[in-house]
Amino acid sequence: MKRIESIQNALVKHWKKLVQTRKERDQSKEFILEGFHLVEEALKQRDSFLTLIKREDVELPSHWQTQEVQIIEVNAAVANEIAETGSSQGVFAHCKQPQSGETLQGHWKKLLLIDSVQDPGNLGTMIRTADAAGMDAVILGKGTVDPFSPKTVRSAQGSHFNIPLIRGELQEFVRQLKATNIPVFGTGLTNAVDYLNVEIEGAFAVILGNEGSGVHPELLSQTDKNVKIPMYGKAESLNVAVATGILLYTYKSK
Amino acid sequence: MKRIESIQNALVKHWKKLVQTRKERDQSKEFILEGFHLVEEALKQRDSFLTLIKREDVELPSHWQTQEVQIIEVNAAVANEIAETGSSQGVFAHCKQPQSGETLQGHWKKLLLIDSVQDPGNLGTMIRTADAAGMDAVILGKGTVDPFSPKTVRSAQGSHFNIPLIRGELQEFVRQLKATNIPVFGTGLTNAVDYLNVEIEGAFAVILGNEGSGVHPELLSQTDKNVKIPMYGKAESLNVAVATGILLYTYKSK
């Protein structure tokens, strides 16, 4: 087993940058996953998997299939360099980012579009929710935070490997969806109908937006219909990931 | 306006402990809110409001009603002591915890019960969601994290002031609810029916559980029925706050 003990090692510096900077992730198309659950999910993706990194005191679970996997053992100093939090489990996967291209597939009928979501945890939870709700893909507008940041990866709980993530210009995707007769529902408070008052026939796309300002007005003007989730109590709004869950599960079940 | 410049000041030490320790919050029944949005919400609660704390460089919005409010100005060093994050807005409210007692009210018909949720952000989002969905109260089991911690308060976005928070032994509350003919639905994967396959007639209580282990089995054995949200994709589960949103909004709309 290969072993690295210096934080000056070039590979360690690369891992650290992958954890800390979007630039490194975008340029290399790689990312780091941390913790037993996520590394176990990553091990099922042999096309994406590059290296399993374990701190010297960590025992790998005996049921993990690691025969053809490169494992690098590191000391505590190196593990600390790449750990996201102080309470690290000391096990990491260095992976290629699953690539889903930048175009819609003809057989996709149910989509989540995300406009300018800024909180990495919210974005990860939305990706996880779209996966759970059986969406065919998630489309990320240019203003949205990096889906491969450590916090987003952690809150998505492995769904990065389960559902295509497409990145691009949302207005262009909305045009394409409408051209293929997939109804597009924006979310907003003005000119919006109750989310229960829409007809769904199999295919749909829903746009969720920024935590503070919502979906961009220009995008809302392009949709087939805009919907809102009523506030029955005194809260002013819902968390964007919670709203995503309510909408996707309601429309999936219609 | 009173001014404090020393982090050794007894009041500053009390504020800092309120931010950092559950013990101080539990003993004093007070808490700290941070940021313009939350302080504005707190200002509407004159019964709970104790002190508005502002960093010396912060300008209070002119529409805030602060005539009868004690305002204390502090320097940057003091503000840093009580700030939750490095990017503090420099404005805080020191408040009494809204007290909701420990017993159910006879007119409550829709309730969220929370068993051993451990992530403060999840708990706050669940409180906010219960408020939005028009629940009458949230009942927190003993194993759940402190609802008045800074992270929980931040993610609840002011809903602490909108909905009663009851704390106690969930098994006892479940017995009481059943005795008053409010059906109690647990959430779990075994012996559970699809969440859409239940009849709701106005009143209901839903129990959500720990992020990893779910609702305690003994509690699940006491419920009228246990429900599950199907996984249509490959995700193993939903975030607990997202699941809360799906269930409460579905049952509220039935």
Side-chain angles (χ1 to χ4, degrees):
Chain A
M1 193 186 306
K2 195 175 161 184
R3 201 178 142 84
I4 300 180
E5 298 190 338
S6 166
I7 62 170
Q8 299 304 327
N9 178 286
L11 194 50
V12 174
K13 286 185 176 177
H14 176 51
W15 293 337
K16 185 177 179 179
K17 277 192 195 161
L18 283 177
V19 170
Q20 295 187 340
T21 76
R22 177 171 193 163
K23 191 176 164 197
E24 189 85 354
R25 293 189 293 267
D26 281 348
Q27 285 176 351
S28 64
K29 306 276 183 221
E30 297 169 3
F31 71 125
I32 302 283
L33 301 98
E34 179 177 348
F36 285 99
H37 174 68
L38 284 174
V39 174
E40 183 165 339
E41 291 300 308
L43 278 169
K44 298 174 190 161
Q45 319 292 329
R46 287 301 152 95
D47 292 345
S48 304
F49 206 95
L50 295 172
T51 307
L52 195 164
I53 305 157
K54 72 180 267 317
R55 202 175 51 210
E56 53 200 352
D57 62 309
V58 169
E59 196 81 47
L60 297 182
S62 56
H63 68 276
W64 281 13
Q65 305 284 327
T66 57
Q67 292 82 353
E68 290 161 37
V69 169
Q70 170 173 243
I71 303 179
I72 297 183
E73 188 172 272
V74 300
N75 59 8
V78 170
N80 276 346
E81 284 289 288
I82 56 175
E84 195 206 340
T85 63
S87 56
S88 172
Q89 295 179 327
V91 59
F92 309 84
H94 174 199
C95 292
K96 288 186 268 187
Q97 296 179 8
Q99 291 300 310
S100 313
E102 294 180 358
T103 50
L104 301 179
Q105 303 291 313
H107 61 279
W108 288 347
K109 299 295 177 206
K110 296 184 173 70
L111 299 115
L112 170 64
L113 280 67
I114 301 180
D115 176 31
S116 302
V117 163
Q118 290 306 297
D119 181 88
N122 280 344
L123 179 61
T125 307
M126 292 167 83
I127 293 169
R128 177 184 179 186
T129 303
D131 177 13
M135 297 298 106
D136 296 310
V138 175
I139 302 180
L140 304 163
K142 288 195 195 299
T144 295
V145 291
D146 181 14
F148 292 96
S149 79
K151 276 189 187 160
T152 304
V153 169
R154 177 155 45 88
S155 54
Q157 293 272 307
S159 288
H160 284 74
F161 297 121
N162 301 337
I163 187 168
L165 302 179
I166 307 293
R167 293 191 258 188
E169 191 57 69
L170 291 187
Q171 299 205 17
E172 177 51 32
F173 285 117
V174 170
R175 266 189 290 274
Q176 288 180 35
L177 289 166
K178 289 173 74 175
T180 53
N181 290 322
I182 296 179
V184 180
F185 302 108
T187 49
L189 298 176
T190 51
N191 294 325
V193 301
D194 189 310
Y195 75 111
L196 294 172
N197 291 338
V198 296
E199 294 291 321
I200 303 279
E201 285 169 15
F204 64 87
V206 178
I207 316 176
L208 274 291
N210 177 268
E211 289 87 347
S213 55
V215 177
H216 194 283
E218 219 165 302
L219 211 45
L220 288 180
S221 72
Q222 269 191 286
T223 57
D224 290 282
K225 207 172 248 184
N226 296 320
V227 299
K228 65 179 167 192
I229 301 175
M231 295 295 113
Y232 297 111
K234 293 183 198 147
E236 287 172 15
S237 64
L238 285 163
N239 167 277
V240 66
V242 173
T244 300
I246 294 168
L247 293 173
L248 298 189
Y249 267 85
T250 302
Y251 293 164
K252 170 78 183 180
S253 310
K254 274 209 173 200
Chain B
M1 194 186 305
K2 196 174 162 184
R3 200 178 143 84
I4 300 181
E5 298 190 337
S6 167
I7 62 170
Q8 299 303 327
N9 177 287
L11 194 50
V12 175
K13 287 184 175 178
H14 176 52
W15 293 336
K16 186 178 180 179
K17 278 193 194 159
L18 284 177
V19 170
Q20 294 187 340
T21 76
R22 177 171 191 160
K23 190 177 166 198
E24 190 83 356
R25 292 189 293 266
D26 281 349
Q27 286 177 349
S28 63
K29 307 273 183 224
E30 297 170 0
F31 70 125
I32 302 283
L33 302 98
E34 179 177 346
F36 285 99
H37 174 69
L38 285 173
V39 173
E40 183 164 339
E41 290 301 307
L43 278 169
K44 298 174 191 162
Q45 318 292 329
R46 286 301 152 94
D47 292 346
S48 304
F49 206 95
L50 295 171
T51 307
L52 195 164
I53 305 156
K54 72 180 266 320
R55 201 175 52 209
E56 52 199 354
D57 62 308
V58 168
E59 196 81 47
L60 297 182
S62 56
H63 67 276
W64 281 12
Q65 304 285 327
T66 56
Q67 292 81 353
E68 290 161 36
V69 170
Q70 170 174 241
I71 304 179
I72 298 183
E73 188 172 273
V74 300
N75 59 9
V78 170
N80 276 346
E81 284 289 290
I82 56 175
E84 194 206 339
T85 63
S87 56
S88 171
Q89 295 179 327
V91 60
F92 309 84
H94 174 201
C95 292
K96 289 187 268 186
Q97 296 181 7
Q99 291 299 311
S100 313
E102 294 179 356
T103 51
L104 301 179
Q105 304 291 311
H107 62 278
W108 289 347
K109 298 296 176 206
K110 297 184 172 69
L111 299 116
L112 170 64
L113 280 67
I114 300 180
D115 176 32
S116 301
V117 163
Q118 289 306 298
D119 181 88
N122 281 342
L123 179 60
T125 306
M126 292 167 81
I127 293 169
R128 178 182 178 187
T129 303
D131 176 14
M135 297 298 106
D136 296 311
V138 175
I139 302 180
L140 304 163
K142 289 195 194 299
T144 294
V145 291
D146 180 14
F148 292 97
S149 79
K151 276 189 187 160
T152 304
V153 169
R154 179 154 46 88
S155 54
Q157 293 273 305
S159 288
H160 284 74
F161 297 121
N162 301 336
I163 186 168
L165 302 179
I166 308 293
R167 293 191 257 189
E169 193 56 70
L170 290 188
Q171 299 205 17
E172 177 51 31
F173 285 117
V174 170
R175 267 190 290 275
Q176 289 180 35
L177 289 166
K178 289 172 74 174
T180 53
N181 290 321
I182 296 180
V184 180
F185 301 108
T187 50
L189 297 177
T190 51
N191 293 325
V193 300
D194 188 309
Y195 76 111
L196 294 172
N197 292 338
V198 296
E199 295 290 321
I200 304 279
E201 285 167 15
F204 64 87
V206 178
I207 316 176
L208 274 291
N210 178 268
E211 289 87 348
S213 55
V215 177
H216 195 282
E218 219 166 301
L219 211 46
L220 288 181
S221 71
Q222 267 190 288
T223 57
D224 290 281
K225 205 173 249 186
N226 296 319
V227 299
K228 64 180 167 193
I229 301 175
M231 295 294 114
Y232 297 112
K234 295 182 195 148
E236 288 172 14
S237 63
L238 285 163
N239 166 277
V240 66
V242 173
T244 301
I246 294 169
L247 293 173
L248 298 189
Y249 267 85
T250 302
Y251 293 163
K252 170 77 185 181
S253 310
K254 273 203 173 206

